[in-house]
């Protein structure tokens, strides 16, 4: 260093440095020279790719060419030192003669920035979904292509970027790391672990948006995805590869159904992915604790974009989760993915679109909000055997306002899915939990995937419940009912109690079959409704103890023979009479 005291420095660059950049340079000067040195900026149009700083007689070349020169020197030194003079002369010669070639790289300029959105001009050939690199390595994704500029969402802190900052193309579309080590972990939508358990080693990298499998690549839904919830498995069965919507007002047990389904996959070789969008972080940590307690975290991945995350992060969350699911599906695995919930996802997308100046449509959502969810849900599939036979079953969740299923987002998603489980506040508050509205719920494809045992045992349950509901309305105000009507009402009332089920208490297949056969044969008719819950527990325990052969036969074959059916009825009768 020269001994004269330096008091001034000059910074050369083509564009005026942003405040953040200037601050950094000043910090650098201070750390290097230990005192305040004035900084003057001089425009130099020849320096298109960085800065040159001159302090006294010292020059810091931070242009790309300068950095490359330094890199070259470093490598030459390293090779020279390590291998003295006998080895790898060829490499040394190569490096000596190497100079950067004139490879063109397209760059743009930030024209405006704010709220996690940047508008960039000059990137003519950028594509939708492409990742752009801003100064300081900040990443963004192209979401809006206009004639003379593009709109871009930013994934990192935006303080470092200012108007006039440079932006580079990467030619890569946005993606996430994927791999087996993600199981049991909580990550953010960029694939970064947020559970404090250290790094995750990824096996691959997948684009977050990828086309859904075509018709030839698929096969019909023909295997069950059991939820363990009697009401759903008996009347609205879900198959592997199906999309079943869970819809209802707030606090009606929507998440509970999804979590029960995850817990029920224990030992069934299904990978579960739970995508949380716009929920409180505290709820998620509680959920992880519960899943761990029930041994379900080992085969589950949680992708969390919490309420405090920026809209771009919330927006990509379901697509990231789906990419992870696809990774496993293409290995021939069965995957269950829950999107909790897509109403919040649509809201995040709406705020992005408004910030991108897109014209608002119905309920202020942009016109392509339907496409937003259809391209996501179409990626659920049951792949053909040639492709490994893997599947993605999707359980999207939608929150309604005051039970209004005719609002924009609910109607959209109802039309994209293969059925819906409709939950009702009124039932929930009456204590009918899960609060499934049997009349409005439907599953359009899962029936084909039900095991024969289940199909045979649920018989007239749906019809009986429909009759009961109708009769209940008509007889609400009449006091003198004939005996037949009275019986029908008691029977229906009992069925409703049969369908009540505690959280995290999934039934196995044989338990569901036994309960259905018994109940449809009027087993619970003379049990006071308040005691039905306890009676169910006792009956199932009795079967487990004295008729484990029937239980295991149903579970292993998925069939119920006429003999077994009779045996169940006889055993249930015996239990009722003798209490054993
Ligand atoms: P939000 O709209 O806030 O997301 P949600 O519809 O997802 O709510 P949950 O959080 O699943 O509802 O459930 C609401 C409450 O009801 C929770 O405290 C949950 O423990 C309870 N609950 C849900 N299902 C049952 C059930 N089958 N039996 C008893 N309690 C239940
Ligand atoms: Mg919820």
């Amino acid at each position: 260093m020269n001994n004269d005291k330096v008091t001034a420095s000059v910074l050369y660059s083509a564009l005026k440095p942003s405040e953040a950049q200037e601050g950094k340079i000043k910090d650098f000067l201070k750390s290097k020279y230990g005192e305040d040195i004035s900084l003057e900026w001089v425009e130099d149009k020849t320096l298109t790719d960085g800065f040159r700083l001159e302090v006294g007689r010292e020059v810091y070349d931070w242009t790309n060419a300068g950095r490359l020169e330094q890199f070259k020197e470093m490598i030459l030194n390293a090779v020279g030192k390590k291998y003295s003079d006998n080895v790898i002369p060829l490499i040394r010669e190569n490096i000596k003669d190497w100079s950067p070639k004139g490879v063109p790289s397209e760059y743009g300029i930030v024209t405006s920035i704010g709220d996690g959105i940047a508008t960039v001009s000059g990137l003519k050939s950028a594509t939708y979904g492409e990742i752009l690199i801003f100064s300081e390595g900040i990443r963004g994704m192209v979401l809006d292509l206009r004639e003379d500029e593009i709109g871009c969402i930013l994934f990192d802190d935006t303080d470092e970027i200012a108007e006039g900052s440079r932006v580079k193309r990467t030619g890569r579309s946005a993606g996430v790391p994927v791999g087996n080590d993600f199981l049991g972990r909580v990550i953010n939508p960029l694939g970064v672990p947020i559970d404090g358990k250290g790094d995750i080693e990824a096996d691959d990298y997948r684009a977050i948006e990828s086309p859904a499998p075509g018709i030839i690549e698929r096969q019909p839904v023909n295997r069950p995805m059991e939820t363990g919830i009697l009401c759903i498995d008996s009347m609205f069965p879900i198959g592997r590869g199906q999309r079943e919507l869970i819809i209802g007002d707030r606090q009606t047990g929507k998440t509970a159904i999804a979590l029960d389904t995850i817990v029920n996959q224990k030992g069934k070789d299904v990978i579960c992915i739970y995508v949380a969008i716009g929920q409180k972080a505290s709820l998620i940590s509680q959920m992880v604790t519960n899943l761990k307690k029930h041994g379900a975290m080992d085969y589950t991945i949680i992708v969390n974009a919490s309420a405090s995350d920026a809209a771009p992060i919330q927006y990509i969350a379901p697509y990231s989760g789906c990419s992870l699911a696809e990774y496993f599906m293409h290995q021939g695995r069965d995957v269950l993915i829950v999107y909790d919930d897509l109403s919040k996802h649509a809201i995040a997308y709406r705020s992005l679109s408004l910030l991108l100046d897109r014209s608002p449509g119905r309920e202020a959502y942009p016109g392509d909000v339907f496409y937003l969810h259809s391209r996501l849900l179409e990626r659920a599939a049951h792949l053909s055997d040639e492709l490994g036979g893997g599947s993605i079953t999707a359980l999207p969740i939608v929150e309604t306002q005051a039970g209004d299923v005719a609002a924009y987002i609910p109607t959209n998603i109802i039309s994209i899915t293969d059925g819906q489980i409709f939950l009702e506040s009124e039932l929930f508050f009456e204590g009918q939990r899960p609060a499934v509205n049997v009349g409005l719920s439907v599953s359009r494809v899962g029936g084909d995937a039900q095991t024969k045992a289940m199909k045979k045992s649920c018989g007239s349950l749906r019809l009986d419940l429909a009759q009961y509901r109708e009769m209940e309305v008509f007889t609400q105000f009449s006091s003198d009912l004939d005996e037949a009507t009275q019986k029908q009402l008691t029977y229906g009332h009992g069925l409703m109690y049969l369908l009540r089920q505690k959280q995290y208490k999934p039934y196995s297949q044989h338990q569901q079959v036994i309960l259905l056969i018994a109940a449809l044969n009027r087993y619970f008719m003379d049990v006071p409704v308040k005691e039905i819950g306890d009676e169910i527990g006792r009956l199932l325990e009795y079967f487990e103890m004295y008729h484990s052969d029937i239980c295991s036969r149903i579970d292993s074959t998925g069939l119920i023979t006429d003999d077994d059916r009779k045996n169940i009825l006889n055993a249930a009768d015996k239990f009722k009479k003798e209490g054993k």
Side-chain angles (χ1 to χ4, degrees):
M1 198 186 289
N2 81 40
N3 289 330
D4 301 338
K5 211 169 166 198
V6 225
T7 52
S9 63
V10 188
L11 182 70
Y12 298 92
S13 64
L15 293 167
K16 193 169 167 47
S18 67
E19 255 172 46
Q21 286 167 331
E22 202 177 311
K24 279 200 169 164
I25 290 168
K26 279 190 175 149
D27 287 347
F28 169 79
L29 284 170
K30 205 164 184 183
S31 71
K32 200 85 183 168
Y33 297 92
E35 54 203 284
D36 275 337
I37 295 180
S38 70
L39 182 69
E40 184 197 352
W41 175 68
V42 175
E43 182 175 331
D44 182 348
K45 285 285 184 204
T46 59
L47 296 179
T48 49
D49 56 357
F51 297 106
R52 206 176 70 233
L53 179 67
E54 292 186 9
V55 194
R57 286 207 218 133
E58 289 176 323
V59 178
Y60 297 90
D61 193 350
W62 287 321
T63 58
N64 279 351
R67 282 182 179 147
L68 276 175
E69 199 56 42
Q70 273 182 22
F71 184 65
K72 191 169 140 186
E73 244 165 57
M74 184 271 290
I75 291 190
L76 268 179
N77 280 341
V79 173
K81 263 187 209 135
K82 205 162 182 188
Y83 301 102
S84 58
D85 22 53
N86 48 5
V87 211
I88 329 188
L90 198 64
I91 295 184
R92 222 180 314 153
E93 283 316 305
N94 272 337
I95 297 176
K96 243 184 206 156
D97 295 340
W98 178 84
S99 64
K101 304 226 165 49
V103 184
S105 76
E106 203 180 351
Y107 73 89
I109 301 287
V110 175
T111 51
S112 73
I113 172 119
D115 301 309
I117 305 264
T119 335
V120 177
S121 70
L123 286 182
K124 283 252 176 294
S125 36
T127 54
Y128 184 85
E130 182 174 339
I131 289 290
L132 303 181
I133 306 279
F134 291 74
S135 49
E136 312 295 332
I138 292 169
R139 286 157 304 162
M141 181 177 128
V142 180
L143 201 65
D144 203 34
L145 294 169
R146 282 172 245 153
E147 212 167 303
D148 44 1
E149 54 181 16
I150 55 178
C152 183
I153 53 176
L154 299 169
F155 295 135
D156 305 280
D157 205 3
T158 56
D159 291 349
E160 306 271 355
I161 308 175
E163 269 175 40
S165 297
R166 284 197 175 205
V167 190
K168 266 202 312 212
R169 281 187 60 194
T170 61
R172 266 192 329 168
S173 51
V176 278
V178 292
N180 284 320
D181 287 356
F182 282 86
L183 290 173
R185 303 296 300 267
V186 186
I187 56 171
N188 72 11
L190 300 170
V192 181
I194 47 173
D195 51 4
K197 288 197 198 146
D199 293 345
I200 303 176
E201 202 173 313
D203 299 337
D204 206 349
Y205 183 85
R206 271 189 82 87
I208 58 167
E209 299 258 16
S210 63
I215 291 176
I216 306 293
E217 292 158 287
R218 295 175 185 247
Q219 62 174 313
V221 172
N222 53 19
R223 288 175 300 142
M225 168 64 69
E226 286 136 344
T227 63
I229 300 169
L230 181 61
C231 174
I232 296 176
D233 286 349
S234 60
M235 290 181 285
F236 319 106
I238 301 170
R240 297 191 180 190
Q242 185 176 341
R243 302 153 299 179
E244 183 80 4
L245 169 66
I246 302 172
I247 185 167
D249 281 2
R250 55 180 297 277
Q251 289 289 303
T252 47
K254 304 184 293 298
T255 305
I257 286 188
L259 290 184
D260 277 353
T261 311
I262 291 178
V263 168
N264 192 47
Q265 301 316 313
K266 198 171 170 182
K268 292 196 167 75
D269 200 20
V270 174
I271 287 170
C272 300
I273 299 176
Y274 177 88
V275 183
I277 308 160
Q279 298 194 49
K280 276 188 246 154
S282 59
L283 273 181
I284 303 302
S285 70
Q286 208 177 350
M287 187 180 294
V288 174
T289 313
N290 280 329
L291 287 176
K292 265 195 198 135
K293 199 166 98 193
H294 293 93
M297 206 49 210
D298 300 338
Y299 53 86
T300 303
I301 304 169
I302 295 186
V303 181
N304 183 26
S306 63
S308 60
D309 281 321
I313 297 285
Q314 295 190 30
Y315 161 68
I316 64 161
Y319 302 103
S320 300
C322 194
S323 294
L324 265 167
E326 279 171 343
Y327 169 74
F328 292 111
M329 173 174 76
H330 287 296
Q331 292 179 343
R333 309 285 302 266
D334 291 312
V335 187
L336 168 77
I337 185 161
V338 178
Y339 304 112
D340 194 359
D341 62 54
L342 290 186
S343 336
K344 295 200 185 75
H345 182 239
I347 290 170
Y349 187 62
R350 174 168 67 184
S351 47
L352 283 183
S353 300
L354 292 174
L355 289 168
L356 285 167
D357 272 345
R358 291 198 187 147
S359 53
R362 183 172 158 194
E363 289 178 29
Y365 288 103
D368 63 342
V369 72
F370 181 82
Y371 178 55
L372 177 78
H373 291 140
S374 60
R375 73 174 191 264
L376 173 71
L377 293 170
E378 271 297 296
R379 285 161 74 180
H382 183 197
L383 290 184
S384 65
D385 288 335
E386 292 79 53
L387 291 175
S391 70
I392 295 179
T393 311
L395 295 182
I397 295 180
V398 161
E399 185 183 305
T400 50
Q401 309 293 330
D404 181 14
V405 282
Y408 191 30
I409 301 298
T411 41
N412 275 349
I413 299 179
I414 286 173
S415 71
I416 306 165
T417 46
D418 308 306
Q420 72 274 351
I421 311 276
F422 184 66
L423 303 176
E424 219 173 53
S425 308
E426 209 173 299
L427 289 170
F428 190 84
F429 293 129
E430 279 168 14
Q432 181 67 35
R433 301 176 189 178
V436 179
N437 178 320
V438 178
L440 288 180
S441 300
V442 56
S443 170
R444 293 189 194 96
V445 292
D448 300 339
Q450 233 176 354
T451 62
K452 293 218 166 62
M454 277 302 282
K455 212 177 230 172
K456 229 165 147 181
S457 353
C458 49
S460 59
L461 177 62
R462 216 177 157 177
L463 212 64
D464 290 355
L465 281 171
Q467 265 173 5
Y468 162 69
R469 275 200 320 276
E470 230 164 74
M471 207 177 270
E472 197 193 18
V473 175
F474 278 116
T475 55
Q476 218 164 16
F477 303 107
S478 46
S479 49
D480 52 335
L481 299 170
D482 62 275
E483 204 182 326
T485 314
Q486 193 70 55
K487 266 195 171 153
Q488 192 70 32
L489 279 175
T490 318
Y491 169 62
H493 203 45
L495 285 183
M496 291 300 281
Y497 268 77
L498 173 80
L499 297 179
R500 293 187 179 192
Q501 196 171 337
K502 290 214 178 76
Q503 232 183 319
Y504 301 116
K505 290 268 183 304
Y507 289 130
S508 60
Q509 185 181 195
H510 73 263
Q511 291 177 324
Q512 297 190 342
V513 168
I514 292 168
L515 288 179
L516 287 169
I517 291 181
L520 294 177
N521 275 280
R522 313 294 195 263
Y523 177 89
F524 296 102
M525 279 286 278
D526 46 11
V527 182
V529 284
K530 291 260 158 13
E531 287 167 29
I532 286 182
D534 293 338
E535 182 70 14
I536 288 174
R538 283 195 294 268
L539 181 70
L540 291 179
E541 214 169 278
Y542 166 77
F543 268 92
E544 231 70 61
M545 224 186 270
Y546 297 101
H547 298 281
S548 56
D549 53 326
I550 303 182
C551 302
S552 54
R553 210 159 34 236
I554 297 173
D555 279 343
S556 59
T557 60
L559 299 169
I560 175 115
T561 58
D562 288 344
D563 281 348
D564 272 346
R565 206 184 134 79
K566 263 183 222 141
N567 288 339
I568 289 175
L569 287 173
N570 289 340
D573 265 351
K574 190 159 169 247
F575 175 70
K576 184 174 262 180
K577 280 194 196 108
E578 300 169 18
K580 66 168 272 213

